[in-house]
Amino acid sequence: MRIVKLSSQSTAFPSPETALHDPNGLLAIGGDLTSARLLAAYERGIFPWYSPGEAILWWSPDPRAVLFPAQFHVSRSLKRFLRNPPFRITLNHDFAAVIAACSYRPDEGTWIGEEVQQAYLQLHHLGYAHSIEVWQGEELVGGLYGVAQGALFCGESMFSRTTNASKCALWAFCRHFAGYGGELVDCQVLNAHTARLGAREIPRRQFLQQLSNLQRRVLAPECWTAQVIPPQLVELPSQTD
């Protein structure tokens, strides 16, 4: 198999099943980050990931990391923290600040360059990309952003500036999303942090089947209106370690 070079005249993508095994999931190169191309990618289970200043790379890894909202794992320490959290959690209050904060990784570098930030900000303005913000007083201390596909949410990145902020962001989002009929959060590639929170790997083929089914679901518009996520949506579950 070889990497497909995308045409500037078309937003078509090759089948995700033709992606490389090494590096895992690399499917195509080139194109642009227009909203039409990004949406065409997400509709097929494909996402961009590349270093600023280099050619755009498009991926669809196998297996795929996912999180079923009902399976979010709350550790004993997080459960204790959630009894009296110091945070206020909002939805779609400051997308630009969240994606800028996600891009700030001085110790490891980032793929979220200015071009990427502007592209997803445009998706946000069009109503497809959404953010969760975690506030401590008036300071933004955590959050996440991603792209909605019906009852599936494609998580892109999250950040934390204080203990448990990103965990609380994902926990609150899962409860909110599930409350409106959301069924699956795409985490793309499993890492230690998301695995501890309940994410797991499924075969790409299974993920694409789930995507095809869930993206047809239309959630109530109120799911995505700018709002404060009320405390009753972040009640503690009965599960234990």
Side-chain angles (χ1 to χ4, degrees):
M1 296 182 184
R2 63 184 182 85
I3 302 174
V4 173
K5 185 174 182 180
L6 298 182
S7 167
S8 60
Q9 308 302 315
S10 170
T11 59
F13 282 90
S15 168
E17 300 291 350
T18 65
L20 299 181
H21 298 294
D22 185 20
N24 180 20
L26 181 57
L27 177 69
I29 186 171
D32 50 44
L33 295 180
T34 62
S35 294
R37 192 182 298 274
L38 282 172
L39 291 174
Y42 281 100
E43 287 169 2
R44 302 201 69 186
I46 300 163
F47 58 88
W49 184 31
Y50 66 104
S51 299
E54 297 182 359
I56 302 171
L57 301 178
W58 301 88
W59 304 77
S60 185
D62 186 17
R64 190 79 166 226
V66 298
L67 173 62
F68 293 88
Q71 296 178 5
F72 186 101
H73 177 71
V74 181
S75 66
R76 287 192 176 94
S77 61
L78 182 58
K79 185 180 291 188
R80 287 193 298 270
F81 182 85
L82 287 171
R83 290 194 180 102
N84 189 28
F87 303 139
R88 178 171 59 95
I89 300 175
T90 59
L91 172 74
N92 284 334
H93 274 218
D94 201 337
F95 185 94
V98 168
I99 193 170
C102 287
S103 75
Y104 184 69
R105 301 178 185 272
D107 296 331
E108 55 189 88
T110 182
W111 72 276
I112 309 172
E114 183 64 27
E115 180 183 35
V116 171
Q117 292 182 51
Q118 291 304 312
Y120 283 85
L121 187 58
Q122 179 62 22
L123 278 188
H124 173 65
H125 291 323
L126 292 172
Y128 295 102
H130 306 284
S131 62
I132 286 280
E133 302 87 17
V134 179
W135 307 89
Q136 194 162 24
E138 298 302 313
E139 182 184 1
L140 181 67
V141 295
L144 62 86
Y145 77 95
V147 178
Q149 287 287 296
L152 186 149
F153 186 77
C154 304
E156 278 297 318
S157 186
M158 56 186 176
F159 79 99
S160 183
R161 292 173 176 161
T162 191
T163 302
N164 289 327
S166 63
K167 293 178 184 178
C168 287
L170 186 56
W171 166 235
F173 175 76
C174 283
R175 297 288 288 184
H176 174 81
F177 188 49
Y180 281 91
E183 293 192 19
L184 191 63
V185 177
D186 171 28
C187 300
Q188 298 179 347
V189 178
L190 194 66
N191 59 43
H193 182 59
T194 54
R196 284 193 295 269
L197 297 178
R200 59 186 176 89
E201 293 181 327
I202 63 174
R204 178 174 55 210
R205 183 164 296 179
Q206 181 182 344
F207 171 77
L208 295 175
Q209 290 171 345
Q210 293 265 28
L211 174 63
S212 178
N213 291 332
L214 295 177
Q215 65 190 180
R216 299 191 187 103
R217 305 262 189 91
V218 179
L219 305 188
E222 292 78 15
C223 180
W224 303 118
T225 56
Q227 60 195 277
V228 176
I229 296 184
Q232 61 266 31
L233 287 184
V234 290
E235 294 172 352
L236 299 181
S238 59
Q239 71 185 65
T240 59
D241 285 339

